[in-house]
Amino acid sequence: VQVSPFNSMIVMPDGTVTVSNGTDSCEAPLDETGLGRCWLTPTSTGSADLTAHYNGSDDFEPSDAAPVAGPVVSRAESAIVFASLNPHNPVVGQPMTVAVSVAPVAPGWGTPGGTVSISASSGQSCEATLAGGEGSCLLSFDQVGPVTIDMDYAGDANFLPTQWGWLNGVMVIPAETTLVLVPSLPSVYGEPVHFTANISVDDPGAGSPTGAVQFTLDGADWGDPVALDEHGVAESAAINDLSVGPHLVAAIYLGDADFLPAIATGITQWVARADSSLVLSSSQNPAPYGVPVLVTAHLAGIDPSQAVPTGGAVQFIVDGVNYGAPVAVGADGTAAKLLPYTALWVGSHELTAVYSGDTS
């Protein structure tokens, strides 16, 4: 810009001239010839007119120049200059922060805005909104394996789009798990019991493990592995013949492609002796004198036991007196005694029996 004196004045104006495109401006100090220069850095695209305003001085009044057409300002090129991944090798389900920075390419100037689309070769994606040229978003992966990351800057009103090719070297690793056995209430002999194992994913991992749980009983495998359901729960088969006493129950999650195996802390299942019931029956009642009578004791376990006693013996009693030796209980849970007619004279007789019990 150049400022000249009005009419025939020979003193050249001094001071400054403000040059503006309507949005941006610069200040041009005048030299002794009235000429001044300044750098005007446009911050928006287009071809806005340029105006010049002389700010005046002690000797000269302010003045304005007629607007002139400004240069055409195009969008500047941009580049994704920095990206970081934290963590670089996440476990399955762990959120990974992808941070990205976008900068202008010379001679461009300014701070890019807008968004950067971030996508992974495994199908996940997120969008980072830039603030001050920087932004971040979260990715999480649902399976193990190598992953590459692509970044695509969409551009904004002042900056052209750009893309950063695949970022290699990311490896998603299996997540650790925890298996917990649900304790069962103490049981009695012959009572069906089963056990439940729950699998969970340890922080920072996440997801739904698949696969199976192997239950063990007193150190030996208990049946085949049991598949986890959609809630991460496995339930053992029922067992009703645990012997009286303590039993160690444990479980192992066998893992799958994305989740590591886990061993549950063992629990002790206590089994107590079951209560029993005894019912007597006779081969005939009433019986004629002189005919032997077969008296049978029928044994059963009392709920919740579903077992039938097969050990121990039954002592038969006739009219309050033990009759003969105790009779061993058979495999069908019964014991029988044949009472000869000599033990049963005419009249009413009270027949009772006592079961001695056994270890169960």
Side-chain angles (χ1 to χ4, degrees):
V1 291
Q2 187 170 30
V3 181
S4 300
F6 188 70
N7 292 335
S8 59
M9 297 177 64
I10 61 174
V11 178
M12 298 302 293
D14 59 357
T16 61
V17 174
T18 301
V19 180
S20 173
N21 62 6
T23 303
D24 315 294
S25 63
C26 66
E27 205 82 3
L30 299 176
D31 62 15
E32 67 274 5
T33 67
L35 187 67
R37 294 178 176 84
C38 65
W39 290 100
L40 179 65
T41 304
T43 58
S44 60
T45 58
S47 55
D49 288 346
L50 297 178
T51 61
H53 173 73
Y54 172 53
N55 297 308
S57 68
D58 293 340
D59 301 318
F60 292 90
E61 293 292 332
S63 61
D64 293 291
V68 297
V72 176
V73 180
S74 301
R75 289 199 292 174
E77 292 186 354
S78 62
I80 299 174
V81 297
F82 176 78
S84 67
L85 309 176
N86 184 30
H88 196 278
N89 294 317
V91 300
V92 170
Q94 179 181 11
M96 180 179 72
T97 301
V98 183
V100 63
S101 177
V102 181
V105 175
W109 180 89
T111 304
T115 60
V116 177
S117 296
I118 298 170
S119 57
S121 57
S122 52
Q124 292 79 14
S125 63
C126 65
E127 189 170 82
T129 300
L130 297 179
E134 297 181 349
S136 65
C137 62
L138 297 176
L139 288 177
S140 60
F141 307 95
D142 56 8
Q143 60 185 16
V144 168
V147 176
T148 51
I149 307 296
D150 180 59
M151 300 176 204
D152 189 358
Y153 172 52
D156 63 7
N158 298 321
F159 291 91
L160 293 169
T162 189
Q163 189 176 48
W164 191 358
W166 294 108
L167 178 64
N168 298 312
V170 178
M171 177 62 72
V172 183
I173 57 180
E176 294 186 347
T177 58
T178 297
L179 186 67
V180 176
L181 270 173
V182 179
S184 176
L185 294 175
S187 60
V188 299
Y189 179 77
E191 177 184 359
V193 293
H194 65 266
F195 300 90
T196 301
N198 297 318
I199 191 72
S200 61
V201 182
D202 297 351
D203 287 335
S208 301
T210 60
V213 172
Q214 177 64 64
F215 290 90
T216 64
L217 177 62
D218 294 329
D221 286 350
W222 177 4
D224 295 328
V226 179
L228 291 168
D229 65 14
E230 66 273 17
H231 304 295
V233 177
E235 190 172 284
S236 72
I239 185 171
N240 62 1
D241 59 354
L242 287 178
S243 60
V244 171
H247 296 272
L248 179 62
V249 180
I252 302 171
Y253 169 55
L254 303 178
D256 63 12
D258 300 314
F259 297 94
L260 294 173
I263 300 175
T265 300
I267 59 176
T268 300
Q269 176 67 30
W270 287 92
V271 179
R273 290 202 300 171
D275 290 329
S276 61
S277 66
L278 186 151
V279 176
L280 281 177
S281 66
S282 63
S283 58
Q284 51 183 325
N285 188 15
Y289 178 74
V291 176
V293 173
L294 182 67
V295 182
T296 304
H298 303 268
L299 287 160
I302 294 179
D303 188 66
S305 176
Q306 297 179 0
V308 174
T310 58
V314 173
Q315 176 64 62
F316 290 90
I317 302 170
V318 178
D319 295 329
V321 178
N322 289 347
Y323 187 85
V327 178
V329 177
D332 61 352
T334 65
K337 189 77 169 180
L338 184 63
L339 303 180
Y341 76 92
T342 55
L344 300 173
W345 55 91
V346 173
S348 177
H349 300 274
E350 184 181 79
L351 305 181
T352 59
V354 176
Y355 172 53
S356 65
D358 63 9
T359 57
S360 300

